[in-house]
Structure formats: structure tokens, C-alpha cells
Amino acid sequence: MTELPLFDDTDVDRVLCVVAHPDDMEYGGSAAVAKWTDEGKKVSYLLLTRGEAGIRDMSPEQVAPLRAAEQRRACTIVGVDDLEILDFPDGLVEPSHELRRAIARKIREFRPDTVMVTNFELKARWGLNHVDHRNAGIATADAIRDADNPWIFTELNDEGLEAWKAARLMINGAEPTHAVALTAEHVDRGVRSLEAHQIYLQALSDHPAPKDMIPSITTSGGELAGVDYALPVGVIDM
């Protein structure tokens, strides 16, 4: 039975994806990004941390550059060339004024109509959600409003970054309201973008294979939307 309406993205031109870590966009979200870049939409990634605390047996100094390199490869696979990685501490992200300002700055610079994040509820489909995911989502939701208010972070005005209103917040992995229709080729690129995080995934002994995980997400989404493949997303008008 069809339960989710397909998301009409005809008026989507610019998408800013804000996540906590390298690899966060690759759990289904990058398959939708592949669709959008194919259609000529501009997509930018903003990572709040370098993911330096993500591999137990390697030092942060070793991990940060290799995860950045893996993220760049993942971006190339889905057609993204605008990647910015900030230096907030991995594992210790807080929805602070400093973080909100950094996200608001990027929103005013890139001027997206859509901002995409990952699930920031306490519970995710795999269990309890990571604190960085939760705080990144909260900070981003607040920063969307901050970016539209000329009296918040007035120093951005002084830098020539005028207030900008993003029309919608899209949440991957949350309770869905819509589904983004995909093709098998988009799903394949989503799989390969997650596989690009090779060293990181090798350190996670119980991680499902990307070739199983991403098609499962998108096939289930397709069943809910009456198509072959789709990414279920929550969409909130701002």
C-alpha cells in the first residue's frame, strides 16, 4: 500500500547538507544527492567535525585526514564538489552559539532553499542516536532561523552576508512525511559513496555491507511510495 507521497523537488535548486561526521550523508542521503546533481541542482556538504575520534585503534591525528579523503571520494561519486569540513570536536558537539553561527554563515554564503540533516531524535533506526547527530540537528534547525534574522549574529551582516531564508528542512532517517523517488543508478552511487569510507568501515566489524544496507533502505522507501526505490524523509516547511 502506498503510504508516503513523493516529494516534489521541481522547485529545489540548492541543497545544503549539514552533518556531524564524514560518512553521515552516506546512509541513504547521498543517493538522493546523486539524483539532484544529475538534475543540475547545486549541492553543498558542511561537516561539523573531522570525525577524528571515530576509529578506536588509530589516533585522531591519523584519522582526521584519512576520513576527509574518504569523504571527498564519496562526494565525487555523487557529483558534489563543494565540501567544507569544520573543526568542532568529534564526540563533543554541542548546539552552542558558536556552532549555530558557523552553520548560519554557511547558509548565508550558499543560500540554499533546502537544508538536509540526519535524524536528531534520541532514537534512530539502529538504536540510540549519537550525541553529535542529535546536537548537529538541533543546531542546524536553529541556525536556519538565525540565518534569516538580521539581528542574530550581526557580525555576519558586517561581513556582507545578508539574511537568507531556507524554505525547508529535510531530515533523513527520521519519521518520514515524504519519499524522494530514485533510480537503481542513484541507489548504486549511494552504495559506492558509502563504500568510499573504506578504512572507517573496516574498523566497524559489525557494520552491514553497503550493498545490502542502502538498497534495503531505498527499497523499503519505494514500497511506501509506490515506486521501485525512494528515500524516506521528513520534510518541515520553514
Side-chain angles (χ1 to χ4, degrees), residues 136-207:
I138 291 170
T140 301
D142 290 338
I144 292 172
R145 289 174 170 157
D146 297 336
D148 186 39
N149 189 335
W151 304 114
I152 301 291
F153 304 134
T154 55
E155 63 272 27
L156 298 181
N157 302 332
D158 298 336
E159 295 175 20
L161 298 174
E162 297 181 357
W164 177 260
K165 179 178 177 59
R168 66 187 64 82
L169 175 65
M170 182 177 289
I171 310 168
N172 178 29
E175 185 68 27
T177 61
H178 294 76
V180 179
L182 304 169
T183 66
E185 195 268 343
H186 300 143
V187 175
D188 176 67
R189 284 161 68 193
V191 170
R192 290 189 287 117
S193 71
L194 181 54
E195 289 175 340
H197 298 274
Q198 181 180 6
I199 296 174
Y200 176 68
L201 294 181
Q202 286 175 349
L204 304 176
S205 59
D206 58 348
H207 192 285

Side-chain angles (χ1 to χ4, degrees), residues 88-109:
F88 288 89
D90 184 15
L92 299 173
V93 171
E94 298 180 349
S96 63
H97 292 172
E98 182 185 6
L99 181 60
R100 285 166 52 187
R101 182 188 297 110
I103 300 169
R105 174 179 282 110
K106 184 66 175 184
I107 291 171
R108 291 191 183 189
E109 288 174 345

